[in-house]
Amino acid sequence: MPFSFRVTATDGAARAGEMTTAHGLVHTPAFMPVGTQGAVKGVHHDDVRAAGTELLLGNTYHLMLRPGAERVAALGGLHAFMRWPLPILTDSGGFQVMSLAALRKVTEQGVTFRSHLDGAMVELTPERAIEVQTLLGSDIAMQLDECVQLPAARPDIERAMQLSLRWAERCKRAFGGAAAGRALFGIVQGGDDQKLRTESVRALTGIGFDGYAIGGLAVGESQEVMLGVVAATAAALPAQQPRYLMGVGTPADLLAAIARGIDMFDCVLPTRNGRHGLAFTRFGPINIKNARHADDPRPLDGESRCPAARDFSRAYLHHLFRSNEALGGTLLSVNNLFYYQDLVAGARAAIAAGRFADYATQTTAQWAAKPDIEAS
Amino acid sequence: MPFSFRVTATDGAARAGEMTTAHGLVHTPAFMPVGTQGAVKGVHHDDVRAAGTELLLGNTYHLMLRPGAERVAALGGLHAFMRWPLPILTDSGGFQVMSLAALRKVTEQGVTFRSHLDGAMVELTPERAIEVQTLLGSDIAMQLDECVQLPAARPDIERAMQLSLRWAERCKRAFGGAAAGRALFGIVQGGDDQKLRTESVRALTGIGFDGYAIGGLAVGESQEVMLGVVAATAAALPAQQPRYLMGVGTPADLLAAIARGIDMFDCVLPTRNGRHGLAFTRFGPINIKNARHADDPRPLDGESRCPAARDFSRAYLHHLFRSNEALGGTLLSVNNLFYYQDLVAGARAAIAAGRFADYATQTTAQWAAKPDIEAS
């Protein structure tokens, strides 16, 4: 079954859609939990699925270093290795090379870096990034790109953007022979400079990809700057292909970006915050480690679809965190994954009903309800 | 419903039985996972139950210090606090005072110690141990006792045994007013000296308890010494009441102790070993961190009732441990809880069928099958 995408409803700039992949359907707007090293941190696959996840992100950088792409391929690919039967998107590894590896050196050819695991020198070229993702067998592969931390000088942003475009071409060429049904996404770069972003969009669409990501955001700039770039860039992208805002973000970021035409997101926030004691709820975030929860018999949200939100008291969750019991981080991570998936499911329904603006307004207003004091 | 126990089958010294508690039935021989601080480390309650657990152990020492027995009581007791609806046994706190607390001082009155959490001085008397367990609302409470590390001089063992007997009387008196349906167990002490053990049994049965534990074993002595004490002590205990061997043990320990008339066990081994990468299987233990598992597509045990044992490859589990993904420890802990519960369920069935000796022999023989090499 070849990869395809169709927009099923629009509401202003917001869109709902369906992506068809070899491992099943993905409804958009979609949120991807991050399965960094072949697992969503602290959460069993069954709970990731129960939350409503249809698409999982795997990190090429981590998996190529350990257990190794060739090993995963010999074990049947990432789906079989993890026992995750639903669609998987893999990043290209470029972002983590920049954030995790030591002694990285970017040249026209690619990026050479020292593995943070064993110190080995590793080369990641556009061709190798595609080869690794093909070995992993992801449903959606990403081009290799270079992303600069913001704020940055315009010449640096432009140089990285142009290099990313040349790598995009090489990725497209290398991907030509990949198994049918898999998709390749290009990545728009250009920092906070809309002229560069527009130039990047024009060149990428000229090459032609199955979908387009907006990279290089959520790397230090304000939300206002990010949303400005998102709005203009999404508007410039082809209407009939999926748009993916990489590494974003908070619930508020998701609503704002959906309103501006974004279809896909990935972020570690639900699980990272969950491990650190922050629970997202319909009534706003709750820091469960706060002492005021120690005697509170109420669940996080008695009306939630999520057993972790419904079945355990805040007092018990608080106790688990105070006692360093890993179950606490697991339960809050699960709660947060359900929260994120319900947030995008609500967005999909609202877009289909033509009332996305109301949905966003009501959802945001409810966050101010201060659940620690008032919710029952 | 009052606490009761009946022996349903015997096979040599081995017994199968049923304990009735206010929170349900417990089939013996029974294995109790340890819910140290109100949670079995790294494992969701649902998985603890799915493994076949009918009785959970809670640690009085931990819970009285954090979140505090009065707080748990105000939140409805330990069953409600944890959301664990099945029977719970609590220890008295004495063992952990000896192993965890600093500056402990044992007097006739009780034990005073410095909390390992905040340095506060805390007094645990027989009366307070009962009060705490009543506040927690456990189905089975344990008397406060003093346990000495072996090897120890006979006068030290005797002094602790005699003190434990006087504490047993005070616990029985204090327990008088506890809610109906709850049980109190006495603890046989006396180290590796059978004369002292027999004296302890005689005095405890004179006081009269709902069940009897054998304490002060698995504290440094050989398995041979332990089993000698177990056999003689179990034989001296009343036939119609449950016998609990505290803090034991390995699968081999369980089989050997069941053969000698023990009905109940608790141990952290399944979860502690699971977190450290050791999986118990029908074909013997597997150290999943060993490099030879890196490319092994076989599950731990394809015929296991446990999804963690059946659904994930050894290669994937190995990878999770190598990558420090907490999911690895969780999956192996779950596997091990299923293993232990299946081991005692098999023992119950074998005793009922009058073939326990064969069951123990076959189970032990199968451990030598070297699953890393031969099992499919």
Side-chain angles (χ1 to χ4, degrees), chain A residues 37-39 41 43-45 66-67 71 75 81-83 294-295 297 311-312 315-316 319-320 322-323 325 327 331, chain B residues 37-39 41 43-45 66-67 71 75 81-83 294-295 297 311-312 315-316 319-320 322-323 325 327 331:
Chain A
Q37 306 184 101
K41 282 204 187 303
V43 182
H44 193 289
H45 303 358
R66 186 176 54 198
R71 169 170 283 149
L75 289 161
F81 178 63
M82 288 182 63
R83 296 271 305 189
D295 296 296
D311 293 348
F312 296 101
Y316 181 63
H319 167 68
L320 292 177
R322 284 294 170 105
S323 305
E325 285 288 338
L327 182 62
L331 292 174
Chain B
Q37 306 182 101
K41 283 205 184 303
V43 181
H44 193 289
H45 303 357
R66 185 175 57 197
R71 170 170 283 148
L75 289 160
F81 178 63
M82 289 182 62
R83 296 272 305 191
D295 297 295
D311 293 348
F312 296 101
Y316 180 63
H319 166 68
L320 292 178
R322 284 293 169 107
S323 304
E325 286 287 340
L327 183 61
L331 292 174

Coordinates of all heavy atoms in Angstrom, one line a residue, chain A residues 37-39 41 43-45 66-67 71 75 81-83 294-295 297 311-312 315-316 319-320 322-323 325 327 331, chain B residues 37-39 41 43-45 66-67 71 75 81-83 294-295 297 311-312 315-316 319-320 322-323 325 327 331:
Chain A
Q37 N 14.9 5.3 22.2 CA 15.8 4.2 22.0 C 15.0 2.9 21.8 O 15.4 1.8 22.2 CB 16.7 4.0 23.2 CG 17.4 5.3 23.6 CD 18.4 5.1 24.8 OE1 19.6 5.0 24.6 NE2 17.9 5.0 26.0
G38 N 13.9 3.0 21.1 CA 13.1 1.8 20.8 C 12.1 1.6 21.9 O 11.5 0.5 22.0
A39 N 11.8 2.6 22.8 CA 10.8 2.6 23.8 C 10.5 4.0 24.2 O 11.3 4.9 24.2 CB 11.4 1.8 25.0
K41 N 9.9 6.3 27.1 CA 10.5 6.2 28.4 C 9.5 5.9 29.5 O 8.6 6.7 29.7 CB 11.3 7.5 28.7 CG 12.7 7.5 28.0 CD 13.7 8.4 28.7 CE 14.9 8.5 27.8 NZ 15.5 7.2 27.5
V43 N 7.2 3.8 29.8 CA 5.8 3.5 29.5 C 5.7 2.2 28.6 O 6.5 2.1 27.6 CB 5.1 4.6 28.7 CG1 3.6 4.3 28.4 CG2 5.2 5.9 29.5
H44 N 4.9 1.3 29.0 CA 4.7 0.1 28.2 C 4.0 0.4 26.9 O 3.1 1.2 26.8 CB 3.9 -0.9 29.0 CG 3.9 -2.3 28.5 ND1 3.3 -2.7 27.3 CD2 4.5 -3.4 28.9 CE1 3.5 -4.0 27.1 NE2 4.2 -4.5 28.1
H45 N 4.4 -0.3 25.8 CA 3.8 -0.1 24.5 C 2.2 -0.1 24.6 O 1.5 0.6 23.9 CB 4.2 -1.2 23.5 CG 5.7 -1.3 23.3 ND1 6.6 -0.5 23.9 CD2 6.4 -2.1 22.5 CE1 7.8 -0.8 23.5 NE2 7.7 -1.8 22.6
R66 N 23.1 2.2 19.0 CA 22.8 1.1 19.9 C 21.3 0.8 19.8 O 20.5 1.7 20.0 CB 23.1 1.5 21.3 CG 23.0 0.3 22.3 CD 23.4 0.7 23.7 NE 22.7 1.9 24.2 CZ 23.1 2.6 25.2 NH1 24.2 2.3 25.9 NH2 22.4 3.7 25.6
P67 N 20.9 -0.3 19.3 CA 21.7 -1.5 19.1 C 22.4 -1.6 17.7 O 23.1 -2.5 17.4 CB 20.6 -2.6 19.1 CG 19.4 -2.0 18.6 CD 19.4 -0.6 19.1
R71 N 21.8 -4.4 13.0 CA 21.2 -5.4 13.9 C 19.7 -5.4 13.9 O 19.1 -6.4 13.9 CB 21.8 -5.2 15.3 CG 21.1 -6.0 16.4 CD 21.9 -5.9 17.7 NE 23.1 -6.7 17.7 CZ 24.2 -6.4 18.4 NH1 24.3 -5.3 19.1 NH2 25.2 -7.2 18.3
L75 N 17.0 -8.3 12.8 CA 15.9 -8.8 13.7 C 14.5 -8.4 13.1 O 13.5 -8.6 13.8 CB 16.1 -8.2 15.1 CG 17.3 -8.8 15.8 CD1 17.7 -7.8 17.0 CD2 17.0 -10.2 16.4
F81 N 11.3 -5.5 16.0 CA 12.3 -5.4 17.1 C 11.6 -4.9 18.4 O 11.7 -5.5 19.5 CB 13.4 -4.5 16.8 CG 14.4 -4.4 17.8 CD1 15.2 -5.4 18.3 CD2 14.7 -3.1 18.4 CE1 16.1 -5.3 19.3 CE2 15.6 -2.9 19.4 CZ 16.4 -4.0 19.8
M82 N 10.8 -3.8 18.2 CA 10.1 -3.2 19.4 C 8.8 -4.0 19.7 O 8.2 -3.8 20.7 CB 9.7 -1.8 19.1 CG 10.8 -0.8 19.0 SD 10.0 0.9 18.7 CE 8.9 1.1 20.1
R83 N 8.3 -4.7 18.7 CA 6.9 -5.2 18.8 C 5.9 -4.0 18.8 O 5.0 -4.0 19.7 CB 6.7 -6.1 20.0 CG 7.5 -7.4 19.9 CD 6.8 -8.5 19.2 NE 5.5 -8.8 19.8 CZ 4.8 -9.8 19.5 NH1 5.2 -10.7 18.6 NH2 3.6 -10.0 20.0
A294 N -0.6 16.0 49.4 CA -0.3 14.8 50.2 C -1.5 14.2 50.8 O -1.5 13.0 51.1 CB 0.7 15.2 51.4
D295 N -2.6 14.9 51.1 CA -3.8 14.4 51.7 C -5.0 14.4 50.8 O -6.1 14.3 51.3 CB -4.0 15.2 53.0 CG -2.9 15.0 54.0 OD1 -2.7 13.9 54.5 OD2 -2.2 16.0 54.3
P297 N -7.6 13.2 48.4 CA -8.1 11.9 47.9 C -8.6 11.9 46.4 O -8.9 10.8 45.9 CB -9.2 11.6 48.8 CG -9.7 12.9 49.3 CD -8.5 13.8 49.3
D311 N -8.0 6.4 38.5 CA -8.1 5.4 39.6 C -7.2 5.6 40.8 O -7.4 5.0 41.8 CB -7.7 4.0 39.0 CG -8.7 3.5 37.9 OD1 -9.8 4.1 37.9 OD2 -8.4 2.6 37.2
F312 N -6.2 6.5 40.7 CA -5.3 6.8 41.8 C -5.5 8.2 42.4 O -5.8 9.1 41.6 CB -3.9 6.6 41.4 CG -3.6 5.2 40.9 CD1 -3.5 4.8 39.6 CD2 -3.4 4.2 41.9 CE1 -3.3 3.5 39.2 CE2 -3.1 2.8 41.5 CZ -3.1 2.5 40.1
A315 N -3.0 12.0 46.4 CA -2.2 11.7 47.6 C -1.3 10.5 47.3 O -0.1 10.5 47.7 CB -3.1 11.4 48.8
Y316 N -1.8 9.5 46.6 CA -1.0 8.3 46.3 C 0.1 8.6 45.3 O 1.2 8.3 45.5 CB -1.9 7.2 45.8 CG -1.1 5.9 45.5 CD1 -0.5 5.2 46.5 CD2 -1.1 5.4 44.2 CE1 0.2 4.0 46.2 CE2 -0.4 4.3 43.9 CZ 0.2 3.6 44.9 OH 0.9 2.4 44.6
H319 N 2.7 10.5 47.0 CA 3.6 9.6 47.8 C 4.6 8.9 46.9 O 5.7 8.7 47.3 CB 2.7 8.6 48.5 CG 3.4 7.5 49.1 ND1 4.3 7.6 50.2 CD2 3.4 6.2 48.8 CE1 4.8 6.4 50.4 NE2 4.3 5.5 49.6
L320 N 4.1 8.4 45.7 CA 5.0 7.6 44.9 C 6.2 8.5 44.4 O 7.4 8.1 44.4 CB 4.3 7.1 43.6 CG 3.2 6.1 43.8 CD1 2.6 5.7 42.5 CD2 3.8 4.8 44.5
R322 N 7.4 11.2 46.1 CA 8.2 11.5 47.3 C 9.0 10.3 47.7 O 10.1 10.5 48.2 CB 7.3 11.9 48.5 CG 6.7 13.3 48.4 CD 7.8 14.3 48.6 NE 7.4 15.6 48.3 CZ 7.2 16.6 49.2 NH1 7.4 16.3 50.5 NH2 6.8 17.8 48.9
S323 N 8.5 9.1 47.3 CA 9.3 7.9 47.7 C 10.2 7.4 46.6 O 10.7 6.3 46.7 CB 8.3 6.8 48.0 OG 7.4 7.2 49.1
E325 N 9.4 6.1 43.8 CA 8.9 4.9 43.2 C 8.7 5.2 41.7 O 7.9 6.1 41.4 CB 7.6 4.4 43.9 CG 7.8 3.8 45.2 CD 8.4 2.4 45.2 OE1 8.3 1.8 44.1 OE2 9.0 2.0 46.2
L327 N 6.9 3.9 39.6 CA 5.5 3.8 39.2 C 4.9 5.2 39.1 O 4.0 5.4 38.2 CB 4.7 2.9 40.1 CG 3.3 2.6 39.8 CD1 3.1 1.9 38.5 CD2 2.6 1.8 40.9
L331 N 2.9 6.4 35.8 CA 1.5 6.7 35.8 C 1.3 8.2 35.3 O 0.4 8.4 34.5 CB 0.9 6.6 37.2 CG 0.8 5.2 37.8 CD1 0.4 5.2 39.2 CD2 -0.1 4.3 36.9
Chain B
Q37 N 6.8 0.4 49.6 CA 6.4 1.7 50.0 C 5.0 2.0 49.4 O 4.7 3.0 48.9 CB 7.3 2.8 49.5 CG 8.8 2.6 49.9 CD 9.7 3.7 49.5 OE1 10.0 4.5 50.2 NE2 10.1 3.6 48.2
G38 N 4.1 0.9 49.4 CA 2.8 1.1 48.8 C 2.8 0.8 47.3 O 1.9 1.2 46.6
A39 N 3.9 0.2 46.8 CA 4.0 -0.1 45.3 C 5.0 -1.2 45.2 O 6.0 -1.2 45.9 CB 4.3 1.1 44.5
K41 N 8.0 -2.5 43.3 CA 8.9 -1.6 42.6 C 8.8 -1.8 41.1 O 9.1 -2.9 40.6 CB 10.3 -1.8 43.1 CG 10.6 -1.1 44.4 CD 12.0 -0.8 44.6 CE 12.2 -0.2 46.0 NZ 11.4 1.0 46.3
V43 N 6.4 -2.0 39.0 CA 5.4 -2.8 38.4 C 4.0 -2.2 38.7 O 3.7 -1.8 39.8 CB 5.5 -4.2 38.9 CG1 4.4 -5.1 38.2 CG2 6.9 -4.8 38.6
H44 N 3.2 -2.1 37.7 CA 1.8 -1.6 37.9 C 1.0 -2.7 38.6 O 1.2 -3.9 38.3 CB 1.2 -1.3 36.5 CG -0.1 -0.5 36.6 ND1 -1.2 -1.0 37.1 CD2 -0.3 0.8 36.3 CE1 -2.2 -0.1 37.0 NE2 -1.6 1.0 36.5
H45 N 0.1 -2.2 39.5 CA -0.8 -3.1 40.2 C -1.4 -4.1 39.3 O -1.6 -5.3 39.7 CB -1.9 -2.4 41.0 CG -1.4 -1.3 41.9 ND1 -0.1 -1.1 42.2 CD2 -2.1 -0.5 42.7 CE1 0.0 -0.1 43.1 NE2 -1.2 0.3 43.4
R66 N 6.7 7.3 55.9 CA 6.2 8.1 54.7 C 5.3 7.2 54.0 O 5.7 6.1 53.5 CB 7.4 8.5 53.9 CG 7.1 9.3 52.7 CD 8.3 9.8 51.9 NE 9.1 8.7 51.5 CZ 10.4 8.7 51.1 NH1 11.0 9.9 51.1 NH2 11.0 7.7 50.6
P67 N 4.0 7.5 53.8 CA 3.4 8.8 54.1 C 3.0 9.0 55.5 O 2.5 10.1 55.9 CB 2.2 8.9 53.1 CG 1.8 7.4 53.0 CD 3.1 6.6 53.1
R71 N -1.9 9.2 58.2 CA -2.3 9.8 56.9 C -3.0 8.7 56.0 O -4.0 8.9 55.4 CB -1.1 10.4 56.1 CG -1.4 10.7 54.7 CD -0.2 11.5 54.1 NE -0.2 12.9 54.6 CZ 0.8 13.6 54.7 NH1 2.0 13.1 54.6 NH2 0.7 14.9 55.1
L75 N -6.9 8.4 54.6 CA -7.2 8.2 53.2 C -7.9 6.9 53.0 O -8.1 6.5 51.9 CB -6.0 8.3 52.4 CG -5.4 9.8 52.3 CD1 -3.9 9.8 51.9 CD2 -6.2 10.6 51.3
F81 N -5.8 3.5 49.7 CA -4.7 4.4 49.3 C -3.9 3.9 48.1 O -3.7 4.6 47.1 CB -3.7 4.5 50.5 CG -2.5 5.4 50.3 CD1 -2.7 6.7 50.0 CD2 -1.2 4.9 50.3 CE1 -1.6 7.6 49.8 CE2 -0.1 5.7 50.1 CZ -0.3 7.0 49.8
M82 N -3.6 2.6 48.1 CA -2.9 2.0 47.0 C -3.8 1.7 45.8 O -3.3 1.5 44.7 CB -2.2 0.7 47.4 CG -1.1 0.7 48.3 SD -0.5 -1.0 48.5 CE 0.0 -1.5 46.8
R83 N -5.1 1.5 46.1 CA -6.0 0.9 45.2 C -5.6 -0.5 44.9 O -5.5 -1.0 43.7 CB -6.1 1.7 43.8 CG -6.7 3.1 44.0 CD -8.1 3.2 43.9 NE -8.6 2.6 42.7 CZ -9.9 2.7 42.2 NH1 -10.7 3.4 42.9 NH2 -10.3 2.2 41.1
A294 N 22.2 -10.3 22.4 CA 22.0 -9.1 21.6 C 21.3 -9.4 20.3 O 20.7 -8.5 19.7 CB 23.4 -8.4 21.4
D295 N 21.5 -10.6 19.7 CA 20.9 -10.8 18.4 C 19.9 -12.0 18.5 O 19.5 -12.6 17.4 CB 22.0 -11.2 17.4 CG 23.0 -10.1 17.2 OD1 22.6 -9.1 16.6 OD2 24.2 -10.2 17.6
P297 N 16.5 -13.6 18.6 CA 15.1 -13.2 18.4 C 14.1 -13.9 19.2 O 12.9 -13.6 19.2 CB 14.9 -13.5 16.9 CG 15.8 -14.7 16.6 CD 17.0 -14.5 17.6
D311 N 6.1 -12.0 24.3 CA 6.0 -11.0 23.2 C 7.2 -10.3 22.8 O 7.3 -9.7 21.7 CB 4.9 -10.0 23.6 CG 3.5 -10.6 23.7 OD1 3.3 -11.8 23.3 OD2 2.6 -9.9 24.2
F312 N 8.2 -10.2 23.7 CA 9.4 -9.5 23.3 C 10.6 -10.4 23.1 O 10.7 -11.4 23.9 CB 9.7 -8.4 24.4 CG 8.6 -7.4 24.6 CD1 7.7 -7.5 25.6 CD2 8.5 -6.3 23.7 CE1 6.7 -6.6 25.7 CE2 7.5 -5.4 23.8 CZ 6.6 -5.5 24.8
A315 N 16.7 -10.1 22.4 CA 17.5 -9.0 21.8 C 16.9 -7.7 22.2 O 17.7 -6.8 22.6 CB 17.5 -9.1 20.3
Y316 N 15.6 -7.6 22.2 CA 15.0 -6.3 22.5 C 15.1 -6.0 24.0 O 15.5 -4.9 24.5 CB 13.5 -6.3 22.1 CG 12.8 -5.0 22.5 CD1 13.2 -3.8 21.9 CD2 11.7 -5.0 23.4 CE1 12.5 -2.6 22.2 CE2 11.1 -3.8 23.7 CZ 11.5 -2.6 23.1 OH 10.8 -1.5 23.4
H319 N 18.6 -5.0 24.7 CA 18.8 -3.6 24.3 C 18.2 -2.6 25.3 O 18.9 -1.6 25.6 CB 18.1 -3.4 22.9 CG 18.0 -2.0 22.6 ND1 19.0 -1.1 22.3 CD2 16.9 -1.1 22.5 CE1 18.6 0.1 22.0 NE2 17.3 0.1 22.2
L320 N 17.1 -2.9 25.9 CA 16.5 -2.0 26.9 C 17.4 -1.9 28.1 O 17.6 -0.8 28.6 CB 15.1 -2.5 27.3 CG 14.0 -2.5 26.3 CD1 12.7 -3.1 26.9 CD2 13.7 -1.1 25.8
R322 N 20.7 -2.5 28.1 CA 21.9 -1.8 27.7 C 21.7 -0.3 27.6 O 22.6 0.5 27.8 CB 22.4 -2.3 26.3 CG 23.1 -3.7 26.4 CD 24.4 -3.5 27.2 NE 25.0 -4.8 27.5 CZ 26.1 -5.4 26.9 NH1 26.7 -4.7 25.9 NH2 26.5 -6.5 27.3
S323 N 20.5 0.1 27.2 CA 20.1 1.5 27.0 C 19.6 2.2 28.3 O 19.1 3.3 28.2 CB 19.1 1.6 25.9 OG 19.6 1.0 24.7
E325 N 16.8 1.8 29.7 CA 15.4 2.1 29.6 C 14.7 1.3 30.7 O 14.7 0.1 30.8 CB 14.9 1.6 28.2 CG 15.3 2.5 27.1 CD 14.5 3.9 27.1 OE1 13.5 4.0 27.7 OE2 15.1 4.8 26.5
L327 N 11.8 0.4 31.1 CA 10.9 -0.6 30.6 C 11.5 -2.0 30.7 O 10.8 -3.0 31.0 CB 10.4 -0.3 29.2 CG 9.4 -1.2 28.6 CD1 8.1 -1.2 29.3 CD2 9.1 -0.9 27.1
L331 N 9.6 -5.0 32.5 CA 9.2 -6.3 31.8 C 9.8 -7.5 32.5 O 9.1 -8.5 32.7 CB 9.7 -6.2 30.4 CG 8.9 -5.2 29.5 CD1 9.5 -5.1 28.1 CD2 7.4 -5.5 29.4

